[in-house]
Amino acid sequence: MAETGVKKEHAEVSYDDDEVALVGAAAEPAVDDDDPAEEGDLASGSGGKSEAQMNGVMVLSLLDKIIGVVDKIQHTQNGLEARQEAMEKSVSTIQGELAKLSKNHIDTSNTVNKMLDKVRKVSVNVKSVRSNLEKQAGQIKKLESNESELLKRRNFKVLIYQLIGPD
Protein backbone atom coordinates (compact mmCIF):
# COMPACT_ATOMS: atom_id res chain seq x y z
CA MET A 1 0.00 0.00 0.00
CA ALA A 2 1.36 3.42 -0.90
CA GLU A 3 2.34 5.74 1.93
CA THR A 4 -0.02 8.70 1.96
CA GLY A 5 1.52 10.58 4.82
CA VAL A 6 -1.54 9.96 7.00
CA LYS A 7 -0.79 9.10 10.57
CA LYS A 8 -3.05 6.28 11.80
CA GLU A 9 -4.25 6.47 15.36
CA HIS A 10 -7.25 5.03 17.12
CA ALA A 11 -9.57 7.79 18.21
CA GLU A 12 -12.68 7.90 20.35
CA VAL A 13 -15.81 7.97 18.24
CA SER A 14 -18.07 10.90 18.90
CA TYR A 15 -20.97 11.97 16.82
CA ASP A 16 -20.47 15.65 16.19
CA ASP A 17 -20.91 18.00 13.22
CA ASP A 18 -17.30 17.62 12.03
CA GLU A 19 -17.70 13.92 11.36
CA VAL A 20 -20.97 14.47 9.59
CA ALA A 21 -19.19 16.98 7.37
CA LEU A 22 -16.38 14.45 6.76
CA VAL A 23 -18.85 11.80 5.73
CA GLY A 24 -20.58 14.27 3.43
CA ALA A 25 -17.25 15.29 1.87
CA ALA A 26 -16.30 11.65 1.33
CA ALA A 27 -19.57 11.04 -0.48
CA GLU A 28 -19.04 13.94 -2.93
CA PRO A 29 -17.16 13.25 -6.19
CA ALA A 30 -13.45 13.87 -5.85
CA VAL A 31 -12.70 15.46 -9.24
CA ASP A 32 -14.90 17.61 -11.43
CA ASP A 33 -14.28 16.62 -15.10
CA ASP A 34 -15.49 20.00 -16.43
CA ASP A 35 -12.89 22.11 -14.57
CA PRO A 36 -9.56 22.05 -16.46
CA ALA A 37 -7.84 24.11 -13.77
CA GLU A 38 -8.11 21.33 -11.23
CA GLU A 39 -6.73 18.79 -13.71
CA GLY A 40 -3.71 20.98 -14.14
CA ASP A 41 -3.22 21.08 -10.39
CA LEU A 42 -3.37 17.30 -10.19
CA ALA A 43 -0.94 16.80 -13.01
CA SER A 44 1.49 19.45 -11.93
CA GLY A 45 1.53 18.41 -8.27
CA SER A 46 1.50 21.99 -7.09
CA GLY A 47 2.09 22.99 -3.47
CA GLY A 48 -1.59 22.70 -2.31
CA LYS A 49 -3.45 19.46 -1.72
CA SER A 50 -6.06 18.64 -4.25
CA GLU A 51 -9.63 17.87 -3.25
CA ALA A 52 -9.10 14.21 -4.18
CA GLN A 53 -6.17 13.96 -1.77
CA MET A 54 -8.18 15.63 0.97
CA ASN A 55 -11.09 13.29 0.35
CA GLY A 56 -8.70 10.32 0.47
CA VAL A 57 -7.29 11.53 3.77
CA MET A 58 -10.80 11.93 5.15
CA VAL A 59 -11.76 8.43 3.99
CA LEU A 60 -8.63 6.99 5.59
CA SER A 61 -9.38 8.91 8.78
CA LEU A 62 -12.94 7.60 8.82
CA LEU A 63 -11.72 4.07 8.15
CA ASP A 64 -9.24 4.44 10.99
CA LYS A 65 -12.04 5.55 13.30
CA ILE A 66 -14.19 2.65 12.14
CA ILE A 67 -11.32 0.26 12.87
CA GLY A 68 -11.04 1.78 16.33
CA VAL A 69 -14.76 1.32 16.94
CA VAL A 70 -14.63 -2.28 15.69
CA ASP A 71 -11.64 -2.98 17.96
CA LYS A 72 -13.50 -1.50 20.91
CA ILE A 73 -16.57 -3.58 20.07
CA GLN A 74 -14.44 -6.73 19.82
CA HIS A 75 -12.79 -5.91 23.16
CA THR A 76 -16.21 -5.37 24.74
CA GLN A 77 -17.47 -8.60 23.17
CA ASN A 78 -14.50 -10.53 24.58
CA GLY A 79 -15.18 -9.04 28.01
CA LEU A 80 -18.86 -9.99 27.76
CA GLU A 81 -17.93 -13.53 26.73
CA ALA A 82 -15.60 -13.83 29.71
CA ARG A 83 -18.32 -12.54 32.02
CA GLN A 84 -20.80 -14.98 30.46
CA GLU A 85 -18.42 -17.89 31.11
CA ALA A 86 -17.92 -16.75 34.70
CA MET A 87 -21.67 -16.49 35.16
CA GLU A 88 -22.19 -19.96 33.69
CA LYS A 89 -19.62 -21.37 36.11
CA SER A 90 -21.33 -19.58 38.99
CA VAL A 91 -24.72 -20.89 37.92
CA SER A 92 -23.42 -24.46 37.66
CA THR A 93 -21.82 -24.11 41.10
CA ILE A 94 -25.08 -22.81 42.53
CA GLN A 95 -26.98 -25.67 40.88
CA GLY A 96 -24.58 -28.16 42.46
CA GLU A 97 -24.99 -26.56 45.87
CA LEU A 98 -28.77 -26.59 45.46
CA ALA A 99 -28.66 -30.28 44.56
CA LYS A 100 -26.61 -30.98 47.71
CA LEU A 101 -29.01 -28.89 49.79
CA SER A 102 -31.98 -30.73 48.32
CA LYS A 103 -30.38 -34.11 49.09
CA ASN A 104 -29.62 -33.01 52.65
CA HIS A 105 -33.18 -31.77 53.01
CA ILE A 106 -34.55 -35.12 51.84
CA ASP A 107 -32.24 -36.97 54.25
CA THR A 108 -33.31 -34.69 57.10
CA SER A 109 -36.98 -35.16 56.18
CA ASN A 110 -36.57 -38.94 56.22
CA THR A 111 -34.82 -38.79 59.60
CA VAL A 112 -37.56 -36.57 61.04
CA ASN A 113 -40.25 -38.94 59.74
CA LYS A 114 -38.48 -41.90 61.36
CA MET A 115 -38.22 -40.01 64.64
CA LEU A 116 -41.91 -39.07 64.48
CA ASP A 117 -42.81 -42.74 63.94
CA LYS A 118 -40.74 -43.68 66.99
CA VAL A 119 -42.39 -40.91 69.03
CA ARG A 120 -45.82 -42.22 67.99
CA LYS A 121 -44.86 -45.74 69.04
CA VAL A 122 -43.51 -44.49 72.37
CA SER A 123 -46.70 -42.48 72.85
CA VAL A 124 -48.82 -45.59 72.24
CA ASN A 125 -46.64 -47.53 74.70
CA VAL A 126 -46.91 -44.75 77.29
CA LYS A 127 -50.71 -44.77 76.93
CA SER A 128 -50.88 -48.54 77.37
CA VAL A 129 -48.54 -48.39 80.39
CA ARG A 130 -50.65 -45.56 81.86
CA SER A 131 -53.88 -47.58 81.42
CA ASN A 132 -52.19 -50.62 83.02
CA LEU A 133 -51.02 -48.45 85.93
CA GLU A 134 -54.53 -47.07 86.36
CA LYS A 135 -55.93 -50.63 86.41
CA GLN A 136 -53.34 -51.65 88.95
CA ALA A 137 -54.10 -48.57 91.03
CA GLY A 138 -57.78 -49.57 91.01
CA GLN A 139 -56.88 -53.12 92.04
CA ILE A 140 -54.61 -51.82 94.82
CA LYS A 141 -57.43 -49.64 96.12
CA LYS A 142 -59.73 -52.66 96.17
CA LEU A 143 -57.12 -54.68 98.02
CA GLU A 144 -56.58 -51.88 100.51
CA SER A 145 -60.31 -51.54 101.11
CA ASN A 146 -60.60 -55.32 101.55
CA GLU A 147 -57.66 -55.27 103.96
CA SER A 148 -59.17 -52.44 105.98
CA GLU A 149 -62.50 -54.28 106.06
CA LEU A 150 -60.79 -57.41 107.33
CA LEU A 151 -58.91 -55.44 109.94
CA LYS A 152 -62.19 -53.95 111.15
CA ARG A 153 -63.72 -57.38 111.54
CA ARG A 154 -60.66 -58.86 113.27
CA ASN A 155 -61.78 -62.12 112.03
CA PHE A 156 -58.54 -63.45 110.84
CA LYS A 157 -55.90 -65.68 112.25
CA VAL A 158 -52.24 -65.65 111.68
CA LEU A 159 -50.70 -68.97 110.97
CA ILE A 160 -47.02 -69.48 111.10
CA TYR A 161 -45.59 -72.42 109.35
CA GLN A 162 -42.12 -73.68 109.75
CA LEU A 163 -40.60 -75.73 107.12
CA ILE A 164 -38.58 -78.52 108.43
CA GLY A 165 -36.22 -79.80 105.94
CA PRO A 166 -34.10 -83.01 105.74
CA ASP A 167 -31.12 -81.25 107.18
Side-chain angles (χ1 to χ4, degrees), residues 46-105:
S46 64
K49 289 185 178 177
S50 71
E51 189 175 332
Q53 287 174 333
M54 288 177 58
N55 286 342
V57 168
M58 285 188 274
V59 168
L60 286 175
S61 174
L62 287 173
L63 287 174
D64 190 41
K65 288 182 180 183
I66 291 171
I67 289 171
V69 170
V70 169
D71 286 345
K72 189 179 274 187
I73 289 171
Q74 286 177 340
H75 179 70
T76 303
Q77 181 69 27
N78 290 340
L80 289 173
E81 288 174 359
R83 288 173 74 189
Q84 177 72 23
E85 288 177 12
M87 287 177 68
E88 287 175 358
K89 287 179 184 177
S90 296
V91 166
S92 66
T93 301
I94 290 170
Q95 286 175 337
E97 293 297 321
L98 281 174
K100 288 179 186 176
L101 181 65
S102 176
K103 183 184 179 302
N104 288 340
H105 176 71

